[in-house]
Amino acid sequence: MSYPNVSVVEIHIEFFQPELDAQSFKVDASSAAILASLKTSKKVPQTLTEKIVQRYAVGLPEGKLIRSGDYVTISPHFCMTHDNTLAVSEKFLSIASKIRDPRQLVMCLDHDIQNVSPANLQKYKQIEEFAKQHGADFYPVSIAHAV
């Protein structure tokens, strides 16, 4: 059957199965317009992670919604570091002299606490001294990811 006043739009739907080729379907222009509006008007909700990052993001333009892949600056309530603190503290001291909010930083030891070698005990002592010097919370033996 032919409709003389209706233009035809060809829509290609690609299937991801390798055995199928892209298939074409003929749809009249008004149906194509409806399909296109449905495709662009549906708002995809944020994931839980996007919502959490949105809450703690700083410097965002008004109305900007965080999406996966966005680069953002955040200000979380707490930042936890563990046995790698000494390496982090050395980098920190090379670029700054003071922690802006020492209550935000939590230092925990948990990855290598069974290692009682003099070198490891010295590293742990230096981490504790760094925490005291900067007023950060320090947990000498803990399950850091549960603190």
Side-chain angles (χ1 to χ4, degrees):
M1 184 179 279
S2 166
Y3 299 95
N5 296 327
V6 177
S7 60
V8 175
V9 176
E10 194 173 87
I11 298 176
H12 294 278
I13 300 175
E14 293 183 26
F15 294 92
F16 294 102
Q17 294 85 1
E19 66 275 1
L20 297 175
D21 294 319
Q23 296 187 7
S24 298
F25 299 93
K26 299 220 182 256
V27 178
D28 66 77
S30 61
S31 296
I34 291 170
L35 289 173
S37 71
L38 290 174
K39 197 174 186 180
T40 58
S41 65
K42 186 174 180 179
K43 184 178 176 184
V44 178
Q46 285 181 306
T47 65
L48 177 60
T49 301
E50 290 167 342
K51 289 176 182 180
I52 292 168
V53 172
Q54 182 83 43
R55 182 174 185 177
Y56 295 102
V58 293
L60 292 178
E62 183 71 29
K64 166 69 175 153
L65 284 180
I66 298 298
R67 295 290 179 196
S68 178
D70 288 349
Y71 288 93
V72 297
T73 300
I74 62 170
S75 181
H77 284 284
F78 297 101
C79 295
M80 184 273 296
T81 185
H82 41 70
D83 302 48
N84 71 342
T85 301
L86 188 58
V88 172
S89 66
E90 290 169 356
K91 178 67 174 174
F92 170 78
L93 292 172
S94 75
I95 59 175
S97 62
K98 182 181 172 190
I99 297 173
R100 182 178 56 89
D101 183 3
R103 303 304 302 163
Q104 187 179 31
L105 189 57
V106 177
M107 296 182 183
C108 306
L109 304 179
D110 77 340
H111 286 196
D112 200 22
I113 56 175
Q114 72 283 357
N115 180 350
V116 292
S117 70
N120 196 56
L121 293 176
Q122 177 62 29
K123 177 178 80 170
Y124 284 174
K125 182 179 177 185
Q126 289 174 291
I127 293 169
E128 184 175 8
E129 289 171 0
F130 181 84
K132 284 180 184 175
Q133 177 186 357
H134 293 280
D137 287 340
F138 176 76
Y139 298 90
V141 177
S142 64
I143 301 172
H145 301 278
V147 171

